[in-house]
Amino acid sequence: MPRLGNNGGLMGLRRVPTTGSASGIWDCDEQSLAKRAAIWPVIGQAWRYYRLSGFASTTLNANSADLTEIELYVNDSIQTISSVTSNVSWTAAGQDISEIIDGVISDSSRALRDFWDPAGVTITLDLGSSAVITHIKIYSLYEQPRFPASFTLSGSNDNASYTTIGTITCGTSFTSLGGNVFASEKLQLP
């Protein structure tokens, strides 16, 4: 006889929702079933600060990268980033790090590009309050996309002690938005 699950559905693969969400409380068996079906929503840690570091060089230009905008998401909702800092002084090149979170992606003079030894660069985003970020999206703007091949993403609530979330691989699937603007996919956090 089938067992009634806490989420109101009968146990069995056919009763597992296809959207990764369901009302009620899921027991361990139901969660396990949904995870095996690759639809269980894995919720990460809530952090106030998200740090990008350990940038791998692009294949287009060794020891360089080109970042124009960074967006953080909770599922499909873009989050407001209250401030951004970096260990590299972008203003020396006439660029201000705050431009990487202002929503403007169409002006090539604003791109943070050609930074040498990108592995040593850090960019820290402050959300103002803690949130569980599920996706990140980055933009590149310079004749052809020069996304970093990968970078490390870390989280913190005190901007002092950081926990590694994982390595984000930018992949090779970029969308041209016209005018030398390229967007990555919404990259899922590990």
Side-chain angles (χ1 to χ4, degrees):
M1 180 172 184
R3 183 166 64 95
L4 185 65
N6 288 340
N7 69 341
L10 298 175
M11 289 303 294
L13 189 58
R14 291 182 306 164
R15 302 297 295 184
V16 175
T18 58
T19 62
S21 64
S23 60
I25 299 172
W26 288 59
D27 68 25
C28 292
D29 290 337
E30 293 169 319
Q31 291 179 29
S32 178
L33 202 65
K35 287 175 183 175
R36 283 197 302 273
I39 61 170
W40 179 254
V42 178
I43 303 300
Q45 172 75 36
W47 303 108
R48 173 177 173 171
Y49 301 93
Y50 286 85
R51 177 169 287 170
L52 290 71
S53 62
F55 293 94
S57 299
T58 64
T59 54
L60 177 62
N61 292 81
N63 297 320
S64 67
D66 174 351
L67 300 174
T68 274
E69 193 75 15
I70 299 174
E71 296 174 341
L72 298 179
Y73 290 81
V74 175
N75 297 317
D76 291 326
S77 299
I78 189 168
Q79 300 300 292
T80 300
I81 301 169
S82 61
S83 67
V84 59
T85 57
S86 178
N87 67 332
V88 175
S89 176
W90 300 104
T91 54
Q95 302 152 332
D96 190 318
I97 188 65
S98 66
E99 294 174 358
I100 207 166
I101 61 167
D102 66 1
V104 178
I105 58 173
S106 59
D107 182 351
S108 63
S109 68
R110 299 161 55 85
L112 306 175
R113 62 178 178 237
D114 294 333
F115 56 79
W116 298 102
D117 187 20
V121 173
T122 63
I123 297 173
T124 303
L125 308 168
D126 180 1
L127 293 176
S129 61
S130 296
V132 179
I133 297 300
T134 60
H135 297 83
I136 185 169
K137 187 172 184 176
I138 58 177
Y139 295 82
S140 175
L141 183 76
Y142 186 67
E143 296 177 2
Q144 47 188 313
R146 298 198 309 176
F147 293 90
S150 64
F151 57 89
T152 300
L153 187 66
S154 305
S156 172
N157 281 315
D158 61 7
N159 200 20
S161 175
Y162 277 84
T163 299
T164 300
I165 297 169
T167 299
I168 308 293
T169 301
C170 295
T172 57
S173 180
F174 309 121
T175 302
S176 173
L177 304 179
N180 291 337
V181 180
F182 298 86
S184 73
E185 297 176 341
K186 266 176 45 181
L187 306 167
Q188 186 165 4
L189 271 58

